[in-house]
Amino acid sequence: MTSGEIRYLLLFLLLFLVVPTVVISSKSQPKFTPKDNYLIDCGSPEPTKLEDGRIFKSDKQSSSFLSTSEDVKATAVEKVHNKTSSMSSYALLMFPFMDLYMSARIFPDKSTYSFFISEPGRHWVRLYFFPMKNPDYNFTAAVFTVTAEKTVLLRDFSCPTPLPVLKEYLINLKKDRVSLVFTPAPKSIAFINAIEVVSAPGDLIKNTAINVVSPNTHLPNKEFTGMDNHALQLTQRINVGGPLILPSNDPLFRGWQKQDTFLKTRSFARNVSISTKKIKYPGENKINSQLVAPAKVYSTCEKMINANVAAPNFNITWEFPIDGGGFSYLLRLHLCDIISKQLNDLYFNIYVNGLDAAANLDLSTLTSALSTAYYTDLFLGEDFIHSDNIIRVQIGPSDNTETGAKNAILNGVEVFKMSNVAGSLDGLYSIDGLYKGVPPEKKKDETVAWFGLVLSFFAIIVCAVVFYKWRRRPADWHLKGSLSSWLLPIRTPKNTTKLNSSSRTGSNRRYSSRKSKSSNFFSAGTIGIGRFYSFSEVQEATRNFAEKSVIGVGGFGKVYMGNLEDGTKIAVKRGNPSSEQGINEFQTEIQLLSKLRHRHLVSLMGYCDEDTEMILVYEFMSNGPLNDHLYGPGGPNGALSWKRRLEICIGAARGLHYLHTGAAEGIIHRDVKTTNILLDEAYVAKVADFGLSKTGPSMEQTHVSTAVKGSFGYLDPEYFRRQQLTDKSDVYSFGVVLIEVLCARPVIDPSLPREQVNLAEWAMKMHRKGMLDKIIDPNLNGKISTASLKKYMEAAEKCISEYGSDRPAMGDVLWNLEYSLQLQESSMDESDIEESESGGGGKHIELKPLPKILEEEEEEREKGDNGGEEILESSKSGYSYNGS
Ligand SMILES: *[C@@H]1O[C@H](CO)[C@@H](O)[C@H](O)[C@H]1NC(C)=O
Ligand SMILES: *[C@@H]1O[C@H](CO)[C@@H](O)[C@H](O)[C@H]1NC(C)=O
Ligand SMILES: *[C@@H]1O[C@H](CO)[C@@H](O)[C@H](O)[C@H]1NC(C)=O
Ligand SMILES: *[C@@H]1O[C@H](CO)[C@@H](O)[C@H](O)[C@H]1NC(C)=O
């Protein structure tokens, strides 16, 4: 090869490498990478990829999205009609989202989606609704309320017409998580097709806007400050004089409609457009100003027709219908002088609802250049909205200029509704349902005074009652729900000892009188306890209780693996009827488990009490107890990754949290340990063994006095000392589990030096010395992100606090673990650590960590004792067998 050839080759390569990148970068839009980017296609069985490249994750993929039990929710799927030419501009804007409208999640009860917020500030919240046809649910009849944090987004909302609806909000989020709460009206359902919660650029909405003041006051326009305190809802977003802009062509995925019917004086206006490449953006930080609106908005406008006539004397008018009822609005006008040939040639006026918003506006002095993007924010107080509920924007030529062209332009309009005094974007009721409207007019000062007197009298009484109740509050009142829930009269919970006594007497009766297959005890006492299994059936399934089938031994008896005729695998627990302890545990377990159903609790499939047998039949958990995967008699069973360990802990915490707060009476497990956390084939953790469980203290009691039971190493020292059981005892045991999971050694190991025997004590000692890394499972070395470990240990340390009152509620533990997982995932994302999932049969499904969403504990707690949605009253959906 000659040097000339090489030169040509190099040139060729250069052309190949350089030219395409240049073209791409000049064509590419400004990029914005949101810190928080939650895209969810609700009810969809799989992720949905939109034409614009965004992937909406299914809320079924992660169990942690919703605060409601996942098993009851129905999904409706329907193909939405095809794109047609007769579709309106609005419908066309919707079209790229059609895939999102094909499935929905339905909520028969109040339900919550929660999201971590990594960076406080304005976030888009976009809600997609489509009332699809469904044989089981009437979507068009659904009436519901949606709130986000302190803001009411939709109140008694419905979609009566079968058209897709997209609601877009910009909410200033201040906390590290946000909850979207869906509350159906009585006897109705709520539904949602898709959700976006996405960070918006910090300076997209400024705290100040121009306050349009009536010209009659002869005051200059003032500034309105405090926009940051208002949530915004998009009313209109218009590309004036230009085409529709699909979300895919906007760096922030906003859709811009055509002006269509909003332009009232069509014959007075003429559209102008120039190449988008000619549009310049002001400021040093060009990227940020480019995000305000795409160049496509600024490159088109409407100007006045007949501009050549000596003195055009008319306005161009746009009318934007809005909701009435005491809302203020933020009006953003996008302006860009694309019609002038020289600077300082265009002076014009802008009016809003007949008032001067800008007089003799000269864009040249504002931008110092032609074809340069500019926008102005106008605050329209509620008193400037007339009864016709229209925002009327008019532009007209300035009349007191001698020079320059008589013309006026407008490039784009955005109208946002601002949240009102009630913190609402829909009606005057606050999130607590309180009416915040204008009180009835005061007639006389005298009545006001009387009213005040009466009011203060009541206030004193209320204060006294509150004080009295506060003095008598249970020690763990904060577990029991919000302040209001225990201040209000509460239905007295059932006597907590009832379960115990009834089961005991019941058992005696049962054992003396039992002859038939289905005993009186079960048929009369409990509902929904699953299917009855005949002894021969169980015998066959377990090959006559072959020793080979034994998978565990508990206090209650041996546990066998079995295969039913239809191929279903089961776990069979066979009790020893001669032990009184066994009988009680048998009944406790049946009574509790039959009332409970949760993804993270092992479910009871049925029982057998033929003759003297006490047999419980459970779903089979193919990966066995958690401790087997940490360490075991036969050496470690393959190390679990840190992420998987966190997921397992989160699952178990979720199950316990549900026990403590979800059931009608809080339930204390009393024997939380790694052998009682079972893993199914997908490593989903389920809490098992409710034999020792107790229904928790009632509102009046702070604890249950009981003989100390549980397992050494996990036992709450306070419970041990005082013999008083609270749900904080479970929290303690769970804290020990967390440490065990991290260190992968038995919690009590007598073979070790004295100070190391008790794992929890030893780990805390090492942690305080900053030598935790010495005792962490060597399999995890270098694979845990520091931030994740810190959060995890924080949670574990609090759990094993000496005093129950210092320990967090299970919901808080859960939150910390979720957070720890997210920290781990984001660190994996950054460093691209390929973590090998060597835990056995499980597949690593999520290649890229997708947004993680947390259950909202407070919401659940608020639901308090009506957690009925998670308790299946009927045995049908939970326990019956289709196959048999
Ligand atoms: C939509 O279009 C597809 C193919 O373009 C066609 O198969 C389908 O029948 C159409 N659906 C409706 C409802 O028109
Ligand atoms: C659904 O409810 C709406 C409004 O209540 C009613 O008009 C409609 O007939 C109902 N549709 C069905 C299929 O029940
Ligand atoms: C611009 O004006 C022409 C003629 O008046 C019209 O046909 C066209 O639809 C307009 N374009 C837009 C985007 O409004
Ligand atoms: C334009 O509209 C404003 C406000 O409605 C009005 O005061 C003004 O007289 C109008 N100008 C013309 C030329 O009609």
Side-chain angles (χ1 to χ4, degrees), residues 321-372:
I322 50 165
D323 298 336
F327 288 99
S328 300
Y329 283 81
L330 169 65
L331 176 69
R332 175 169 286 189
L333 302 178
H334 296 277
L335 301 161
C336 181
D337 186 356
I338 56 171
I339 64 167
S340 294
K341 299 280 181 291
Q342 62 193 70
L343 284 171
N344 304 100
D345 196 26
L346 176 68
Y347 295 83
F348 63 102
N349 298 334
I350 302 175
Y351 313 93
V352 178
N353 282 6
L355 305 176
D356 272 321
N360 303 319
L361 187 69
D362 177 17
L363 291 172
S364 299
T365 53
L366 294 166
T367 60
S368 317
L370 296 175
S371 307
T372 304

Side-chain angles (χ1 to χ4, degrees), residues 104-125:
R105 187 157 297 268
I106 297 155
F107 309 113
D109 300 292
K110 184 175 173 182
S111 304
T112 304
Y113 280 95
S114 289
F115 305 88
F116 289 104
I117 299 302
S118 55
E119 197 177 54
R122 289 264 176 205
H123 283 68
W124 304 110
V125 173

Side-chain angles (χ1 to χ4, degrees), residues 79-84:
K79 184 85 187 157
V80 185
H81 32 266
N82 289 344
K83 196 192 295 204
T84 65

Side-chain angles (χ1 to χ4, degrees), residues 560-802:
Y560 303 84
M561 187 189 117
N563 271 307
L564 291 179
E565 255 176 329
D566 63 358
T568 316
K569 284 193 169 176
I570 52 173
V572 173
K573 209 184 211 182
R574 189 187 193 191
N576 175 7
S578 61
S579 107
E580 176 73 11
Q581 162 88 11
I583 294 168
N584 283 340
E585 285 186 19
F586 182 67
Q587 292 183 347
T588 309
E589 184 131 5
I590 288 184
Q591 288 220 343
L592 286 179
L593 271 183
S594 59
K595 282 197 291 184
L596 302 170
R597 186 157 174 82
H598 190 270
R599 185 179 152 85
H600 295 290
L601 300 181
V602 168
S603 45
L604 182 68
M605 287 169 39
Y607 65 93
C608 167
D609 67 338
E610 249 178 278
D611 298 325
T612 53
E613 291 296 337
M614 290 193 298
I615 292 170
L616 294 170
V617 179
Y618 302 88
E619 60 176 321
F620 179 70
M621 302 289 288
S622 56
N623 271 312
L626 172 57
N627 60 318
D628 277 1
H629 297 269
L630 299 173
Y631 48 85
N637 230 353
L640 299 173
S641 73
W642 179 238
K643 182 164 173 271
R644 178 151 281 164
R645 291 187 206 202
L646 281 172
E647 282 163 354
I648 289 167
C649 292
I650 287 167
R654 207 175 283 282
L656 288 173
H657 174 56
Y658 169 70
L659 278 186
H660 289 176
T661 61
E665 297 161 90
I667 291 166
I668 303 170
H669 186 282
R670 272 224 289 182
D671 201 9
V672 177
K673 52 183 176 181
T674 46
T675 43
N676 282 341
I677 296 172
L678 304 182
L679 305 174
D680 73 4
E681 71 284 351
Y683 286 85
V684 173
K686 304 196 184 207
V687 178
D689 205 340
F690 299 86
L692 293 179
S693 301
K694 282 253 186 227
T695 35
S698 63
M699 294 299 174
E700 283 81 39
Q701 287 170 290
T702 56
H703 63 267
V704 179
S705 296
T706 169
V708 174
K709 294 220 176 83
S711 303
F712 275 106
Y714 296 96
L715 205 57
D716 169 13
E718 192 177 45
Y719 167 43
F720 192 75
R721 280 198 307 273
R722 299 172 55 195
Q723 314 226 329
Q724 291 177 346
L725 185 67
T726 72
D727 47 9
K728 291 298 178 68
S729 307
D730 280 355
V731 174
Y732 181 91
S733 311
F734 188 72
V736 179
V737 167
L738 291 181
I739 292 174
E740 185 181 350
V741 166
L742 180 68
C743 302
R745 58 150 268 204
V747 292
I748 298 286
D749 189 346
S751 67
L752 290 171
R754 222 192 122 153
E755 59 168 3
Q756 299 183 22
V757 169
N758 184 318
L759 173 63
E761 278 172 20
W762 175 233
M764 282 339 289
K765 194 176 269 177
M766 294 298 274
H767 181 44
R768 278 191 286 271
K769 283 189 195 162
M771 289 162 64
L772 195 64
D773 50 320
K774 297 275 185 297
I775 57 165
I776 289 181
D777 182 358
N779 288 311
L780 295 174
N781 257 346
K783 291 183 185 154
I784 311 183
S785 105
T786 326
S788 171
L789 179 63
K790 187 164 170 258
K791 199 89 210 157
Y792 184 87
M793 276 313 291
E794 226 174 86
E797 190 172 6
K798 278 192 209 137
C799 286
I800 57 172
S801 298
E802 182 69 21

